Amino acid sequence: MQRLIDGIARYSNEVHPANQPLFDSLAHGQSPDVLFLSCADSRVDPSLITQSQPGDIFVCRNAGNIVPPSDSGLSDDGVIASIEFGVIALKVSDIVVCGHADCGAIKGLLHPDSLTSLPHVTKWLEWADHGGHQEPERAVEANVLAQLAHLRTYAFINEAVDVGSLTLSGCVYDIASGQVRVFDGTDFTVPNR
């Protein structure tokens, strides 16, 4: 805990004052362009991966970067509430679902016997999908595509996509290499610069 307290003090005394104009403008509201849905894994830092500043992206994180479909009975949970707020109130123009290498949720999905002491995780993973792939990298990709499909089960998402005010995208972050592979409609590839 002391490390966190020291970090808070350093932020308050050094980082925030060095960026005061930015925080002055953010003190009056937010207008991010992107909603970034990622795993809660401590190694996945959306702002670091995207090189975004405070206020640039609206972040929603949970185990396995999961979006329960509208008929799941969970359509009023915190995940969809955050997505609804991002799309309707903040009017984000993009939603990115970001999976990652070495995902514990996908490992659990592939090896359900490892979840016997985690009943809430087991229940949550009902909304994950490895697409029948047993190879972890492909299973992570399949789960990203499944969550994009789950987004399309919500009327407010479909309406925004259909009128062209919202784009849905998927990507997978490789922790070791730092590469982010983006789904191009056919496969996950590293984009050209």
Side-chain angles (χ1 to χ4, degrees):
M1 184 63 189
Q2 187 59 48
R3 182 173 56 83
L4 296 180
I5 292 170
D6 292 345
I8 291 167
R10 201 168 37 259
Y11 170 79
S12 295
N13 296 325
E14 298 170 23
V15 176
H16 192 277
N19 294 283
Q20 194 62 55
L22 171 63
F23 292 110
D24 286 344
S25 70
L26 292 175
H28 304 289
Q30 61 175 323
S31 58
D33 294 326
V34 177
L35 188 155
F36 199 87
L37 177 72
S38 68
C39 187
D41 190 298
S42 65
R43 301 167 295 173
V44 178
D45 183 337
S47 293
L48 184 64
I49 294 167
T50 63
Q51 289 296 282
S52 298
Q53 294 295 312
D56 288 348
I57 58 176
F58 187 66
V59 178
C60 181
R61 298 176 71 173
N62 66 65
N65 43 273
I66 292 172
V67 178
S70 62
D71 63 356
S72 66
L74 298 174
S75 62
D76 59 353
D77 81 334
V79 174
I80 202 60
S82 295
I83 293 168
E84 180 184 65
F85 183 77
V87 172
I88 295 175
L90 297 177
K91 300 189 182 329
V92 297
S93 58
D94 294 279
I95 296 177
V96 177
V97 177
C98 181
H100 68 93
D102 196 44
C103 180
I106 298 303
K107 287 180 181 178
L109 192 61
L110 294 174
H111 305 285
D113 55 312
S114 68
L115 300 174
T116 56
S117 65
L118 302 168
H120 298 287
V121 173
T122 300
K123 184 75 175 155
W124 181 245
L125 291 182
E126 289 179 9
W127 312 116
D129 187 350
H130 58 74
H133 297 282
Q134 294 303 308
E135 195 275 311
E137 182 176 306
R138 289 293 177 197
V140 167
E141 293 172 351
N143 186 54
V144 167
L145 296 179
Q147 304 319 311
L148 290 169
H150 290 177
L151 284 168
R152 293 301 301 255
T153 67
Y154 290 90
F156 73 94
I157 297 283
N158 285 326
E159 289 167 13
V161 170
D162 291 346
V163 300
S165 64
L166 182 66
T167 302
L168 305 180
S169 303
C171 64
V172 175
Y173 167 57
D174 185 84
I175 297 165
S177 71
Q179 285 191 334
V180 177
R181 291 177 287 116
V182 177
F183 185 67
D184 64 8
T186 306
D187 200 0
F188 287 84
T189 60
V190 176
N192 294 328
R193 294 182 190 233

